Amino acid sequence: MRFALFIFLLHSFIFADQYTFLLDEYDKEMELEAKILSQIAKDGIKTPITLFIPDITKSEKKVYGKFFSISKNCKDANLIFVNKNYEHNFAMCEGYFFTNNYKKLIADERFFGALFWSKSRPNIIFIKKRLKAQKITLPENYNRYIEELQ
Amino acid sequence: MIHKTKLRNPLYLITISAFFAIILAILLYGTLKLEEDVESKIIKISTSDVLKIAANNAQYITSFLDKDKSYIEQIKSDKKLQEKIDNALKILLTKNVKYAYIVYKDKNGTFRFISDGSSPQEKAMIGQKFDVTSPLWKDLYKTKKPVIIHHEFLKELFITYLYPFCQNKEVEMILAIDFSIGKIEDVNTIISTMKTTIIATIVIIFLFLTVLAIQTFRFIVARNSAFLDKLTNVYNRNYLQEIENFINLDNYALAALDIDHFKRFNDTYGHEVGDRILKEIAQIILKNCRKEEDIVIRYGGEEFVILVKSKRDERKTSIDTCKRIHSSIQSHQFYISDTEYVNITVSMGVNLTPGQSRTFSDAFKLADIALYNAKNKGRNSIEIYEDGSKARQSGHLSISEINAALEEDRVICYFQPIVHSKTNTVSHYEALLRIVDYDGKIITPDKILPAIKGTFILRNITKRVLKICYKTLKDNPDIQITVNINPQDIINDTIIDRLQMYAKKRDIAQRIGLEIVESEDLIRLQHADKNLLKLKKMGYKIFIDDFGTGYSNFIYLAQIKTDFIKIDGNIIKNILNDKLSLAIVKSIVNFAKEANIKVVAEHVSNEEIYQIIKSLGIEYAQGYHFSAPRESIERLEF
């Protein structure tokens, strides 16, 4: 009996990685995004940030909640992070728009920048003209991310 | 007391454990190293084909381009060429190759896509900025050679292969192939299984060794405790049995120690006091011995065996140790209550040359003989056993030689007739012990008995002689035999049982006379007189041997109702010249007549002595005048 228990425990420890489903869902990628967005917001917008994420998920709320005060609607927010692929109606919303999609960034002039994954690598782009229009000033170390797209 | 040379120190377990821990650490390091080697080997094998294909693919793409014009400008300006190159890149995509694309570096040093073989959802746009994560991308512009980048931090990528497109000896574009994590996952699964198996094996072996070490330690502790006498904390007889076959007796002197009259103390003051005395004596012995070298064993109730370590030429040290023990006990006050104490003495027998004996048992017997002698001489003394070489010089047999004779059936009897002086016919034959040595020489009792006096070997000799006599009586139904037995034999159950057994046979006990040497022992030994009367009842005749020289106690003779007395030969042989001897004989004869005891005269060596014997009215005579002791029964007529 002792031997059986010992084998069971040994097996459990050795194959512990098989039981990660028992833990809370955790997304490192999301946390990285939240950190970068928080840094951009601090460096560019400067005023206290209230973040709105359309159709925010529980895990997003938990992760982004560590860095931002989260708003339930876009009217009360001064930073809107569009990270879903479908279309949203932001007609009533005022604030700074940021996305995680390069194509959206190119297509919609409201977005001043994007943080997206290109070939599994994080990429950051700010559009110079839009930064200027929205009166966002970024420190010099952001220059390598600023593009002069028309 | 723990004798460290025999009982191992548990430290050796720690050494073994440390040894195995080092072995396991080396194995673990080997496993990790193996993991690294196997990983790089498997990666090399699994990617080498793709890398070759990628290089070929780059050559293929170059074939579309005009070498004289800028590659980048050509692609940017030609949609069809873009599609062609995209399709060529798509060929590279497999389950493990996640992305294949071409980038260039603009004048600001920013990398931008020029072509991408990815699916439409993931496809990068021409001119789209591409943030690279490694400086090797830029280094490629200097080295101009293909490079592999290992990704440590990217979640989905394992390695990236970069192949330069050169134009005019300068790098114009880079073909990049990203291998997905899937490949390394396959490799890692194999390695992980190997690693898990090895680690599990190591863990099991380690646990097994740990359990083994614990069990061994517990076993040693239990064994040590089994070897210690609980009362006195010295070794017990189990320990002696354990070491007796391995101990080198050449390095020791062997002493047997017995507490004098211990039974009396036990009976008088109770067992609690007796136990306390034993404990204190053990402590005194230990205090006078060297802890690391000498071995103290409680051999029996009140008997201790001490093995004093000493070299052959330093026997004096052993004797000094024994003397120290003896005098320490003698001067010690053994308290039997808070105020009262008693003094206790011990007798010791020492065998200084135990190495000369065949076995420990033989060596111990010699020490025991010396102890017996010490007790016989009035106790409270140390007796040293005469060593074997001295015994041999005097022609005496050693215990081992006597034992060997018993085992090899070389113990025999010679018979000497006892003649009835009135009828001149043989009345009895006295059975006399002899041993035939390896040269065929006949050894007489004076060379045999000293070594075995007081030992069980003497019992065995008596039994053998009785057996020979029994057989002789059966073979010769018309003769009577007398046999010599020791006072100790009279109180020995096995001898009494044997005599009882013979007595049950018809006409045997009546034809045997038991000759007992007259000595103090006979009186001192408990139950000796009762047993003699018991034997008489069975039909045996009692002869008191060597009467007149030793301890002559006439009252005792009357008590045990002896049938015969044999006047000592030393008196008889002087009867012609010594008036005192004649007077003693006359006196004995008169007493015997009064007590109705028959008299035998020994050492009748000539006719003159025989005539005087006859004239004194002695009925029986024995000696060379009639016959020397002979190996077989001879029918003699006189």
Side-chain angles (χ1 to χ4, degrees), chain B residues 43-92:
Chain B
I43 288 166
K44 205 172 174 185
I45 292 165
S46 60
T47 56
S48 63
D49 288 349
V50 182
L51 301 186
K52 274 180 197 161
I53 292 166
N56 288 337
N57 195 277
Q59 297 297 322
Y60 177 59
I61 290 168
T62 315
S63 70
F64 303 152
L65 301 167
D66 186 345
K67 286 177 186 165
D68 297 329
K69 290 179 185 172
S70 162
Y71 287 168
I72 299 161
E73 293 308 321
Q74 280 180 68
I75 299 167
K76 271 185 180 173
S77 61
D78 189 341
K79 271 237 173 213
K80 277 189 181 172
L81 183 60
Q82 284 170 22
E83 274 178 33
K84 219 172 168 183
I85 295 171
D86 284 354
N87 288 335
L89 292 174
K90 269 180 197 164
I91 296 168
L92 294 172

Side-chain angles (χ1 to χ4, degrees), chain B residues 40-226:
Chain B
S40 64
K41 201 80 186 166
I42 292 177
I43 288 166
K44 205 172 174 185
I45 292 165
S46 60
T47 56
S48 63
D49 288 349
V50 182
L51 301 186
K52 274 180 197 161
I53 292 166
N56 288 337
N57 195 277
Q59 297 297 322
Y60 177 59
I61 290 168
T62 315
S63 70
F64 303 152
L65 301 167
D66 186 345
K67 286 177 186 165
D68 297 329
K69 290 179 185 172
S70 162
Y71 287 168
I72 299 161
E73 293 308 321
Q74 280 180 68
I75 299 167
K76 271 185 180 173
S77 61
D78 189 341
K79 271 237 173 213
K80 277 189 181 172
L81 183 60
Q82 284 170 22
E83 274 178 33
K84 219 172 168 183
I85 295 171
D86 284 354
N87 288 335
L89 292 174
K90 269 180 197 164
I91 296 168
L92 294 172
L93 300 180
T94 62
K95 186 187 156 204
N96 294 317
V97 176
K98 198 171 184 186
Y99 307 115
Y101 48 94
I102 299 172
V103 293
Y104 68 96
K105 197 169 73 173
D106 69 8
K107 58 183 185 219
N108 297 324
T110 307
F111 284 92
R112 292 183 186 281
F113 289 97
I114 188 77
S115 182
D116 188 359
S118 306
S119 63
Q121 294 80 25
E122 292 188 285
K123 195 175 174 73
M125 294 161 79
I126 291 179
Q128 182 181 324
K129 186 169 78 74
F130 180 57
D131 292 339
V132 296
T133 50
S134 165
L136 290 173
W137 287 80
K138 285 184 178 169
D139 290 350
L140 187 75
Y141 281 82
K142 290 176 196 161
T143 61
K144 295 163 192 158
K145 281 182 183 167
V147 66
I148 292 175
I149 301 168
H150 286 263
H151 298 292
E152 301 284 333
F153 305 108
L154 295 182
K155 191 178 144 190
E156 292 178 352
L157 299 181
F158 159 41
I159 56 168
T160 296
Y161 176 63
L162 303 180
Y163 185 87
F165 285 93
C166 291
Q167 196 177 20
N168 301 326
K169 295 180 182 174
E170 291 298 326
V171 176
E172 184 76 1
M173 307 185 294
I174 298 171
L175 168 64
I177 295 170
D178 288 332
F179 283 79
S180 75
I181 204 82
K183 172 59 78 182
I184 191 66
E185 274 176 352
D186 290 346
V187 173
N188 281 343
T189 307
I190 298 166
I191 291 168
S192 166
T193 310
M194 283 168 58
K195 198 174 159 184
T196 305
T197 311
I198 293 169
I199 290 175
T201 311
I202 289 171
V203 168
I204 289 170
I205 290 171
F206 182 74
L207 287 174
F208 175 74
L209 289 172
T210 309
V211 170
L212 190 71
I214 291 168
Q215 290 299 338
T216 311
F217 181 74
R218 285 171 65 176
F219 168 73
I220 289 169
V221 170
R223 203 179 66 154
N224 287 356
S225 128

Side-chain angles (χ1 to χ4, degrees), chain A residues 6-7 10 14-15 27 29 102-103 106 116-125 144-147, chain B residues 98-99 101 112-113 116 118 120 122 125 128-131 151 155-157 160 178 196 200 203 207:
Chain A
F6 164 71
I7 294 293
L10 187 67
I14 289 171
F15 297 99
D27 196 335
E29 205 173 285
Y102 182 71
K103 281 175 186 163
I106 300 299
F116 60 97
W117 295 87
S118 175
K119 305 289 178 270
S120 298
R121 295 165 177 85
N123 273 255
I124 301 169
I125 291 183
R144 53 193 269 234
Y145 302 113
I146 298 171
E147 292 273 277
Chain B
K98 198 171 184 186
Y99 307 115
Y101 48 94
R112 292 183 186 281
F113 289 97
D116 188 359
S118 306
E122 292 188 285
M125 294 161 79
Q128 182 181 324
K129 186 169 78 74
F130 180 57
D131 292 339
H151 298 292
K155 191 178 144 190
E156 292 178 352
L157 299 181
T160 296
D178 288 332
T196 305
V203 168
L207 287 174

